Amino acid sequence: ILWAKRFLVDLLSGLIIPITFFPVVLQKIFAFLPFQAISYIPSNTLVRGLSIDKWLPAIGVQFIWTIILALICWGIWVKARKTLIVQGG
């Protein structure tokens, strides 16, 4: 399972196959996922000098994912605190 997860993350981040090689439909889907920031955006920035008009939306997507995941973690934390029972001192 760990190998499959790693493969999926590497594929979606453009590490195995660059995202530009995928069909346009998949490129648009990948643009909304947080994985492209792992290797695709940094490598594109270094190799092709990614312009600011393409770099800022990618950072915006990462910011939105940060907020979403932080809210999920906060919700889990609140639920865990309500159900936690400590025995003893």
Side-chain angles (χ1 to χ4, degrees):
I1 293 176
L2 186 61
W3 178 85
K5 181 206 69 106
R6 186 70 215 168
F7 177 78
L8 187 61
V9 168
D10 288 350
L11 183 66
L12 294 175
S13 69
L15 191 61
I16 296 174
I17 301 170
I19 293 176
T20 53
F21 289 170
F22 286 97
V24 176
V25 173
L26 289 178
Q27 289 180 26
K28 289 181 180 183
I29 293 171
F30 290 171
F32 291 104
L33 298 176
F35 304 109
Q36 66 180 349
I38 295 172
S39 67
Y40 181 71
I41 292 173
S43 63
N44 254 354
T45 302
L46 291 174
V47 172
R48 297 197 305 180
L50 201 63
S51 62
I52 193 87
D53 63 325
K54 293 190 179 185
W55 188 73
L56 281 177
I59 296 300
V61 168
Q62 300 310 309
F63 181 73
I64 291 169
W65 273 103
T66 302
I67 299 297
I68 290 170
L69 294 175
L71 289 173
I72 290 171
C73 288
W74 179 76
I76 292 171
W77 175 255
V78 168
K79 183 172 170 74
R81 281 186 26 195
K82 288 180 181 178
T83 59
L84 177 67
I85 299 173
V86 177
Q87 300 291 331

